[in-house]
């Protein structure tokens, strides 16, 4: 989330200084982020998985709480629009899906306590991603070494690799992610 090129804000906010109490993470904000992704130049593309095309939005646990408690459309969508049974996103580790966006919760989403005009509101900088959001590179592919010890009574294993994953930035612009900045309750 460091230095995002694109950002959408909860409610009618246009910056972190204009975020107000109640500018929660909502399904309408999810749809707005998807629209920004589709209209971006270069366009942010969805990932092709599970027989469809999906974006990913990683949000703070407080934002999931706010979504479930402040947006009545959420409960209705999960109850009526999702598959019944063990393949329902609520049972697969995803919080749910809305408008081709898989919503996941993570405690690694950056939180703040200094947004708003008085610099005293809680906020979260959630991340909306497409398929080019992260670049993964190998320095050394995985290697496997087995060694016997104590006259072959014990075996040790060594597995090693060198790799790095980073946010994709080209010409100083994020071309695969959007920051979704919102007010959050502090649960």
């Amino acid at each position: 989330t460091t230095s995002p090129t694109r950002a959408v804000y909860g409610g009618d906010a246009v910056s972190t200084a204009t975020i107000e109490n109640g500018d929660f993470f909502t399904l309408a904000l999810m749809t707005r982020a998807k629209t920004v992704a589709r209209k971006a130049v270069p366009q942010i593309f969805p990932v092709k998985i599970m027989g469809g095309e999906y974006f990913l939005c990683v949000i703070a646990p407080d934002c999931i709480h706010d979504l479930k408690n402040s947006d009545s459309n959420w409960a209705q969508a999960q109850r009526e629009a999702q598959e019944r049974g063990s393949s329902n996103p609520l049972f697969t580790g995803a919080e749910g899906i809305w408008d081709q966006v898989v919503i996941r919760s993570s405690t690694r989403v950056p939180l703040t306590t200094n947004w708003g005009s008085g610099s005293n509101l809680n906020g979260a900088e959630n991340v909306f991603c497409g398929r080019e959001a992260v670049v993964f590179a190998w320095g050394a592919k995985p290697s496997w070494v087995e060694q016997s010890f104590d006259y072959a009574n014990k075996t040790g294993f060594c597995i090693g690799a060198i790799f790095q994953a980073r946010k994709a930035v080209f010409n100083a612009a994020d071309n695969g992610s959007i920051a979704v900045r919102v007010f959050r309750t502090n649960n």
Side-chain angles (χ1 to χ4, degrees), residues 145-158:
V145 177
E146 294 182 34
Q147 190 170 11
S148 294
F149 300 96
D150 192 24
Y151 301 98
N153 287 324
K154 296 180 183 176
T155 304
F157 301 94
C158 173

Side-chain angles (χ1 to χ4, degrees), residues 33-46:
K34 180 183 170 188
T35 302
V36 169
R38 289 292 196 182
K39 292 172 62 177
V41 178
Q43 182 178 349
I44 298 174
F45 293 100

Side-chain angles (χ1 to χ4, degrees), residues 73-160:
N73 292 326
W74 175 258
Q76 182 178 357
Q78 299 312 306
R79 181 178 61 245
E80 298 174 9
Q82 296 295 348
E83 295 178 30
R84 302 230 184 259
S86 62
S87 62
N88 186 301
L90 294 174
F91 302 119
T92 62
E95 296 292 342
I97 298 174
W98 176 261
D99 196 16
Q100 293 179 297
V101 180
V102 176
I103 301 171
R104 297 279 313 224
S105 176
S106 173
T107 57
R108 299 183 75 185
V109 171
L111 304 176
T112 185
T113 58
N114 62 354
W115 284 356
S117 61
S119 296
N120 62 344
L121 295 179
N122 297 320
E125 188 155 11
N126 307 294
V127 182
F128 181 94
C129 305
R131 71 175 173 224
E132 292 94 11
V134 176
V135 175
F136 185 89
W138 289 105
K141 294 268 183 164
S143 61
W144 176 287
V145 177
E146 294 182 34
Q147 190 170 11
S148 294
F149 300 96
D150 192 24
Y151 301 98
N153 287 324
K154 296 180 183 176
T155 304
F157 301 94
C158 173
I159 302 170

